[in-house]
Tab-separated table of all heavy atoms in Angstrom:
chain	number	residue	atom	x	y	z
V	1	ARG	N	-8.998	10.983	7.847
V	1	ARG	CA	-7.802	10.300	8.319
V	1	ARG	C	-8.073	9.776	9.716
V	1	ARG	O	-8.350	10.543	10.636
V	1	ARG	CB	-6.612	11.255	8.323
V	1	ARG	CG	-5.370	10.734	9.028
V	1	ARG	CD	-4.333	11.829	9.118
V	1	ARG	NE	-3.276	11.520	10.056
V	1	ARG	CZ	-2.439	12.420	10.581
V	1	ARG	NH1	-2.552	13.700	10.229
V	1	ARG	NH2	-1.501	12.051	11.437
V	2	LEU	N	-8.027	8.458	9.877
V	2	LEU	CA	-8.232	7.819	11.169
V	2	LEU	C	-6.855	7.646	11.819
V	2	LEU	O	-5.993	6.940	11.290
V	2	LEU	CB	-8.910	6.464	10.982
V	2	LEU	CG	-9.254	5.674	12.239
V	2	LEU	CD1	-10.319	6.412	13.061
V	2	LEU	CD2	-9.739	4.274	11.877
V	3	HIS	N	-6.642	8.294	12.964
V	3	HIS	CA	-5.327	8.283	13.609
V	3	HIS	C	-5.405	7.587	14.957
V	3	HIS	O	-6.147	8.012	15.843
V	3	HIS	CB	-4.802	9.705	13.790
V	3	HIS	CG	-3.406	9.742	14.355
V	3	HIS	ND1	-2.286	9.637	13.574
V	3	HIS	CD2	-2.966	9.859	15.639
V	3	HIS	CE1	-1.203	9.688	14.332
V	3	HIS	NE2	-1.592	9.828	15.592
V	4	LEU	N	-4.607	6.523	15.114
V	4	LEU	CA	-4.561	5.758	16.353
V	4	LEU	C	-3.283	6.126	17.108
V	4	LEU	O	-2.174	5.855	16.636
V	4	LEU	CB	-4.563	4.262	16.075
V	4	LEU	CG	-5.889	3.603	15.668
V	4	LEU	CD1	-6.326	4.053	14.281
V	4	LEU	CD2	-5.755	2.081	15.699
V	5	THR	N	-3.429	6.742	18.263
V	5	THR	CA	-2.256	7.108	19.043
V	5	THR	C	-1.617	5.850	19.634
V	5	THR	O	-2.224	4.771	19.685
V	5	THR	CB	-2.634	8.059	20.180
V	5	THR	OG1	-3.553	7.390	21.062
V	5	THR	CG2	-3.290	9.316	19.637
V	6	ALA	N	-0.380	5.972	20.098
V	6	ALA	CA	0.282	4.852	20.767
V	6	ALA	C	-0.559	4.414	21.957
V	6	ALA	O	-1.023	5.233	22.744
V	6	ALA	CB	1.671	5.270	21.220
V	7	GLY	N	-0.787	3.120	22.069
V	7	GLY	CA	-1.624	2.608	23.149
V	7	GLY	C	-3.088	2.495	22.797
V	7	GLY	O	-3.880	2.035	23.623
V	8	ALA	N	-3.461	2.890	21.595
V	8	ALA	CA	-4.856	2.770	21.145
V	8	ALA	C	-5.028	1.484	20.348
V	8	ALA	O	-4.226	1.183	19.470
V	8	ALA	CB	-5.249	3.964	20.300
V	9	THR	N	-6.072	0.739	20.649
V	9	THR	CA	-6.393	-0.490	19.924
V	9	THR	C	-7.851	-0.472	19.504
V	9	THR	O	-8.738	-0.250	20.340
V	9	THR	CB	-6.136	-1.735	20.793
V	9	THR	OG1	-4.752	-1.832	21.108
V	9	THR	CG2	-6.562	-3.001	20.053
V	10	ILE	N	-8.084	-0.664	18.222
V	10	ILE	CA	-9.441	-0.919	17.739
V	10	ILE	C	-9.583	-2.431	17.661
V	10	ILE	O	-8.886	-3.096	16.886
V	10	ILE	CB	-9.680	-0.245	16.375
V	10	ILE	CG1	-9.708	1.276	16.557
V	10	ILE	CG2	-10.980	-0.735	15.756
V	10	ILE	CD1	-9.932	2.042	15.269
V	11	LEU	N	-10.457	-2.982	18.492
V	11	LEU	CA	-10.583	-4.423	18.689
V	11	LEU	C	-11.860	-4.938	18.044
V	11	LEU	O	-12.943	-4.411	18.292
V	11	LEU	CB	-10.581	-4.749	20.187
V	11	LEU	CG	-10.734	-6.214	20.574
V	11	LEU	CD1	-9.514	-7.015	20.137
V	11	LEU	CD2	-10.943	-6.333	22.088
V	12	GLY	N	-11.721	-5.986	17.245
V	12	GLY	CA	-12.877	-6.546	16.573
V	12	GLY	C	-13.874	-7.169	17.535
V	12	GLY	O	-13.508	-7.877	18.484
V	13	SER	N	-15.142	-6.912	17.301
V	13	SER	CA	-16.209	-7.557	18.052
V	13	SER	C	-16.241	-9.049	17.720
V	13	SER	O	-15.798	-9.471	16.648
V	13	SER	CB	-17.545	-6.908	17.694
V	13	SER	OG	-18.630	-7.702	18.147
V	14	THR	N	-16.778	-9.845	18.633
V	14	THR	CA	-16.934	-11.273	18.375
V	14	THR	C	-18.346	-11.632	17.924
V	14	THR	O	-18.727	-12.796	17.920
V	14	THR	CB	-16.573	-12.084	19.627
V	14	THR	OG1	-17.382	-11.646	20.717
V	14	THR	CG2	-15.107	-11.907	19.984
V	15	ASN	N	-19.103	-10.624	17.522
V	15	ASN	CA	-20.464	-10.836	17.018
V	15	ASN	C	-20.466	-10.556	15.519
V	15	ASN	O	-20.224	-9.429	15.090
V	15	ASN	CB	-21.442	-9.896	17.747
V	15	ASN	CG	-22.887	-10.178	17.404
V	15	ASN	OD1	-23.195	-10.733	16.339
V	15	ASN	ND2	-23.791	-9.791	18.295
V	16	ARG	N	-20.739	-11.577	14.726
V	16	ARG	CA	-20.709	-11.410	13.268
V	16	ARG	C	-21.715	-10.371	12.781
V	16	ARG	O	-21.522	-9.759	11.734
V	16	ARG	CB	-20.986	-12.749	12.582
V	16	ARG	CG	-19.947	-13.810	12.850
V	16	ARG	CD	-20.308	-15.088	12.111
V	16	ARG	NE	-19.437	-16.194	12.511
V	16	ARG	CZ	-19.546	-17.424	12.033
V	16	ARG	NH1	-20.498	-17.703	11.158
V	16	ARG	NH2	-18.726	-18.370	12.439
V	17	ALA	N	-22.789	-10.192	13.511
V	17	ALA	CA	-23.802	-9.226	13.103
V	17	ALA	C	-23.273	-7.799	13.111
V	17	ALA	O	-23.890	-6.900	12.527
V	17	ALA	CB	-25.024	-9.337	14.018
V	18	HIS	N	-22.139	-7.571	13.753
V	18	HIS	CA	-21.560	-6.229	13.799
V	18	HIS	C	-20.690	-5.916	12.582
V	18	HIS	O	-20.127	-4.826	12.504
V	18	HIS	CB	-20.715	-6.064	15.070
V	18	HIS	CG	-21.503	-6.177	16.328
V	18	HIS	ND1	-20.944	-6.544	17.531
V	18	HIS	CD2	-22.829	-5.964	16.579
V	18	HIS	CE1	-21.877	-6.565	18.472
V	18	HIS	NE2	-23.034	-6.211	17.910
V	19	TYR	N	-20.596	-6.876	11.647
V	19	TYR	CA	-19.734	-6.692	10.481
V	19	TYR	C	-20.559	-6.642	9.201
V	19	TYR	O	-21.383	-7.517	8.953
V	19	TYR	CB	-18.723	-7.833	10.365
V	19	TYR	CG	-17.728	-7.875	11.488
V	19	TYR	CD1	-18.000	-8.600	12.650
V	19	TYR	CD2	-16.512	-7.210	11.387
V	19	TYR	CE1	-17.086	-8.651	13.686
V	19	TYR	CE2	-15.593	-7.259	12.429
V	19	TYR	CZ	-15.888	-7.985	13.574
V	19	TYR	OH	-14.976	-8.036	14.592
V	20	SER	N	-20.323	-5.607	8.414
V	20	SER	CA	-20.949	-5.500	7.094
V	20	SER	C	-20.119	-4.528	6.247
V	20	SER	O	-20.196	-3.305	6.443
V	20	SER	CB	-22.388	-4.994	7.202
V	20	SER	OG	-22.951	-4.852	5.912
V	21	PRO	N	-19.329	-4.986	5.302
V	21	PRO	CA	-19.054	-6.394	4.994
V	21	PRO	C	-18.118	-7.001	6.035
V	21	PRO	O	-17.936	-6.422	7.111
V	21	PRO	CB	-18.354	-6.301	3.635
V	21	PRO	CG	-17.652	-4.977	3.689
V	21	PRO	CD	-18.535	-4.069	4.485
V	22	GLY	N	-17.509	-8.140	5.709
V	22	GLY	CA	-16.649	-8.831	6.659
V	22	GLY	C	-15.286	-8.186	6.774
V	22	GLY	O	-14.284	-8.747	6.338
V	23	ALA	N	-15.221	-7.010	7.378
V	23	ALA	CA	-13.948	-6.320	7.568
V	23	ALA	C	-14.054	-5.415	8.786
V	23	ALA	O	-15.126	-4.885	9.095
V	23	ALA	CB	-13.577	-5.503	6.339
V	24	LEU	N	-12.939	-5.217	9.464
V	24	LEU	CA	-12.920	-4.306	10.597
V	24	LEU	C	-12.968	-2.851	10.110
V	24	LEU	O	-13.751	-2.044	10.625
V	24	LEU	CB	-11.662	-4.555	11.437
V	24	LEU	CG	-11.576	-3.853	12.792
V	24	LEU	CD1	-12.751	-4.234	13.681
V	24	LEU	CD2	-10.256	-4.197	13.474
V	25	ILE	N	-12.145	-2.517	9.121
V	25	ILE	CA	-12.173	-1.192	8.497
V	25	ILE	C	-12.499	-1.378	7.029
V	25	ILE	O	-11.792	-2.102	6.313
V	25	ILE	CB	-10.824	-0.455	8.623
V	25	ILE	CG1	-10.374	-0.392	10.082
V	25	ILE	CG2	-10.928	0.936	8.020
V	25	ILE	CD1	-11.209	0.484	10.971
V	26	SER	N	-13.552	-0.719	6.551
V	26	SER	CA	-13.977	-0.844	5.165
V	26	SER	C	-14.037	0.531	4.511
V	26	SER	O	-14.342	1.528	5.175
V	26	SER	CB	-15.359	-1.511	5.101
V	26	SER	OG	-15.847	-1.559	3.782
V	27	ALA	N	-13.710	0.563	3.223
V	27	ALA	CA	-13.880	1.798	2.452
V	27	ALA	C	-14.304	1.419	1.041
V	27	ALA	O	-13.744	0.487	0.448
V	27	ALA	CB	-12.597	2.612	2.418
V	28	GLN	N	-15.284	2.132	0.522
V	28	GLN	CA	-15.819	1.856	-0.813
V	28	GLN	C	-15.993	3.172	-1.555
V	28	GLN	O	-16.640	4.106	-1.057
V	28	GLN	CB	-17.176	1.151	-0.696
V	28	GLN	CG	-17.886	0.891	-2.002
V	28	GLN	CD	-17.457	-0.406	-2.666
V	28	GLN	OE1	-17.018	-1.329	-1.994
V	28	GLN	NE2	-17.581	-0.467	-3.986
V	29	ASP	N	-15.378	3.275	-2.741
V	29	ASP	CA	-15.526	4.466	-3.591
V	29	ASP	C	-15.143	5.749	-2.839
V	29	ASP	O	-15.774	6.796	-3.022
V	29	ASP	CB	-16.965	4.579	-4.102
V	29	ASP	CG	-17.392	3.354	-4.903
V	29	ASP	OD1	-16.578	2.858	-5.700
V	29	ASP	OD2	-18.522	2.881	-4.706
V	30	ALA	N	-14.113	5.671	-2.020
V	30	ALA	CA	-13.669	6.834	-1.254
V	30	ALA	C	-12.362	7.370	-1.818
V	30	ALA	O	-11.647	6.685	-2.561
V	30	ALA	CB	-13.490	6.463	0.214
V	31	GLU	N	-12.034	8.603	-1.470
V	31	GLU	CA	-10.770	9.191	-1.905
V	31	GLU	C	-10.179	10.034	-0.785
V	31	GLU	O	-10.893	10.494	0.114
V	31	GLU	CB	-10.971	10.037	-3.164
V	31	GLU	CG	-11.900	11.211	-3.003
V	31	GLU	CD	-12.085	11.975	-4.304
V	31	GLU	OE1	-11.591	11.504	-5.337
V	31	GLU	OE2	-12.723	13.035	-4.268
V	32	ASN	N	-8.865	10.209	-0.864
V	32	ASN	CA	-8.142	11.017	0.126
V	32	ASN	C	-8.417	10.531	1.547
V	32	ASN	O	-8.881	11.272	2.421
V	32	ASN	CB	-8.523	12.496	-0.007
V	32	ASN	CG	-8.248	13.036	-1.391
V	32	ASN	OD1	-7.246	12.679	-2.028
V	32	ASN	ND2	-9.147	13.877	-1.905
V	33	ILE	N	-8.109	9.254	1.772
V	33	ILE	CA	-8.337	8.657	3.088
V	33	ILE	C	-7.018	8.108	3.616
V	33	ILE	O	-6.089	7.819	2.847
V	33	ILE	CB	-9.407	7.545	3.047
V	33	ILE	CG1	-9.020	6.453	2.032
V	33	ILE	CG2	-10.765	8.118	2.720
V	33	ILE	CD1	-9.985	5.281	1.991
C-alpha cells in the first residue's frame, strides 16, 4: 500500500528514459495493492 500524506507529491520526471512502461505508477499481475 503506497500512502501519500497531505502535502506529498510524486512528480513525474521529464526524461522519457525514466518510464517503463509509459506510466507514473504501474502494476502488473499484482494483488492486494
Side-chain angles (χ1 to χ4, degrees):
R1 169 187 165 198
L2 182 66
H3 184 85
L4 284 69
T5 62
T9 296
I10 291 180
L11 179 67
S13 166
T14 57
N15 187 336
R16 297 181 189 179
H18 297 156
Y19 294 89
S20 178
L24 190 58
I25 306 292
S26 176
Q28 176 86 26
D29 301 319
E31 62 182 7
N32 302 322
I33 57 177

